[in-house]
């Protein structure tokens, strides 16, 4: 199996394990009274499964993204030029101000 595929499968498994722990903590600490909603409903187990799968998708994606970003090779020095950026000096621009009162402006319309 290619290394990238095995890395992906491993990170997805870790993400779904984190999701299981997250959903278990949500239910254990009864956040937003979820334990009561799940235990008193006939579709409660389906809700827990859906919550686990959807959180698993998110956590697996984040876990895989972190794993890919940590693969960067730092053996070569990198970076851009360290030259100073040009400084643009601002010049004032005259602006015409309409000094008529609000009532005069409404009459004109």
């Amino acid at each position: 199996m290619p290394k990238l595929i095995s890395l992906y499968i491993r990170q997805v498994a870790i993400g779904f394990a984190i999701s299981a722990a997250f959903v278990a903590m949500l239910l254990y600490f009864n956040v937003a009274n979820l334990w009561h909603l799940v235990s008193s409903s006939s579709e409660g187990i389906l809700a827990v499964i859906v919550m686990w799968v959807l959180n698993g998708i998110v956590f697996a994606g984040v876990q895989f993204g972190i794993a890919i970003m940590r693969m960067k090779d730092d053996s070569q020095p990198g970076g851009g030029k360290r030259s100073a950026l040009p400084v643009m000096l601002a010049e004032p621009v005259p602006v015409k101000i309409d000094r008529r009162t609000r009532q005069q402006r409404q009459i004109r319309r």
Side-chain angles (χ1 to χ4, degrees), residues 13-46:
I14 292 170
F16 273 88
I18 293 171
S19 173
F22 178 71
V23 171
M25 286 191 320
L26 283 177
L27 294 174
Y28 178 76
F29 291 115
N30 202 16
V31 175
N33 209 14
L34 282 176
W35 177 252
H36 174 72
L37 290 172
V38 168
S39 62
S40 65
S41 174
S42 61
E43 291 87 16
I45 191 71
L46 178 64

Side-chain angles (χ1 to χ4, degrees), residues 39-104:
S39 62
S40 65
S41 174
S42 61
E43 291 87 16
I45 191 71
L46 178 64
V48 171
I49 291 170
V50 168
M51 193 167 27
W52 173 66
V53 169
L54 294 179
N55 281 310
I57 291 168
V58 172
F59 289 143
V62 170
Q63 184 70 24
F64 184 65
I66 291 171
I68 291 296
M69 286 186 256
R70 292 185 65 179
M71 291 175 65
K72 181 181 178 299
D73 184 21
D74 288 333
S75 63
Q76 295 178 343
K81 296 181 191 176
R82 298 291 186 236
S83 60
L85 295 173
V87 177
M88 306 293 282
L89 298 176
E91 296 182 19
V93 177
V95 177
K96 182 181 175 188
I97 298 175
D98 189 12
R99 294 196 182 267
R100 292 181 294 175
T101 63
R102 183 181 216 174
Q103 188 178 18
Q104 290 172 340

